[in-house]
Amino acid sequence: MGSASTHFERLTRCCMKCRISQFLDKTIEIEKAGVARVAIPFHGDLTQNAGFLHAAMLFEVADTAGFMAANSMEETYSVLTVDYHINLIRPVRHEGILATSEVVTAGKTIYVTRSDVYSDSGKLVAAGQGTYTVSGIRLCDLDGYDD
């Protein structure tokens, strides 16, 4: 394939074409192979009854960051989440969130990542671990990858 930066740009563009990414106004950055960051700004429509950011948003940024970290190391096929465990540490109110993720184990077909989620004020709000498998879905067949 091409250079790592080209793969990172293609992967980011592909992920940003997803409707959920656009709806959440995400930002995605692949720092280097195996390390990614995903953020979403605060939006009142993403809260639960007590006014806290819904926990699904913490899961979403952590899993997406893990996916991006894992797929940054796989240049031919898309990876898929097969397991994700998250610990919710504290609620978030009126702040956006940022997940940082790093691949901790890379095999031929399985990647394991660790993600930490922070509020805009820098507090650790969640920690997770994801397992991703290399699928048979070619990246070049995904909308946005080869645009």
Side-chain angles (χ1 to χ4, degrees):
M1 191 160 274
S3 71
S5 64
T6 301
H7 170 58
F8 297 170
E9 291 164 6
R10 290 175 170 185
L11 189 58
T12 300
R13 182 178 57 236
C14 183
C15 192
M16 288 304 297
K17 275 207 154 191
C18 295
R19 288 184 178 177
I20 188 73
S21 294
Q22 294 171 16
F23 176 76
L24 294 174
D25 195 23
K26 278 186 203 170
T27 57
I28 298 172
E29 175 193 358
I30 300 171
E31 180 181 314
K32 61 183 180 180
V35 178
R37 291 180 179 82
V38 175
I40 59 170
F42 174 77
H43 192 285
D45 288 341
L46 303 178
T47 61
Q48 44 86 300
N49 290 351
F52 296 117
L53 189 64
H54 196 285
M57 299 304 102
L58 282 69
F59 175 91
E60 206 286 333
V61 295
D63 179 46
T64 301
F67 164 84
M68 295 300 287
N71 225 144
S72 71
M73 298 178 70
E74 168 55 51
E75 295 191 21
T76 305
Y77 296 98
S78 179
V79 301
L80 298 173
T81 307
V82 293
D83 183 62
Y84 202 91
H85 177 82
I86 191 164
N87 291 91
L88 304 172
I89 297 167
R90 65 176 45 91
V92 178
R93 182 176 272 156
H94 305 295
E95 293 185 81
I97 51 176
L98 166 71
T100 61
S101 187
E102 184 169 1
V103 172
V104 294
T105 302
K108 282 185 174 183
T109 60
I110 295 288
Y111 292 89
V112 177
T113 67
R114 166 130 169 75
S115 299
D116 290 321
V117 182
Y118 298 91
S119 64
D120 283 344
S121 61
K123 292 181 181 173
L124 181 66
V125 297
Q129 178 175 301
T131 304
Y132 303 85
T133 188
V134 177
S135 73
I137 302 165
R138 295 181 57 81
L139 287 169
C140 64
D141 293 336
L142 296 178
D143 186 30
Y145 189 79
D146 278 339
D147 289 355

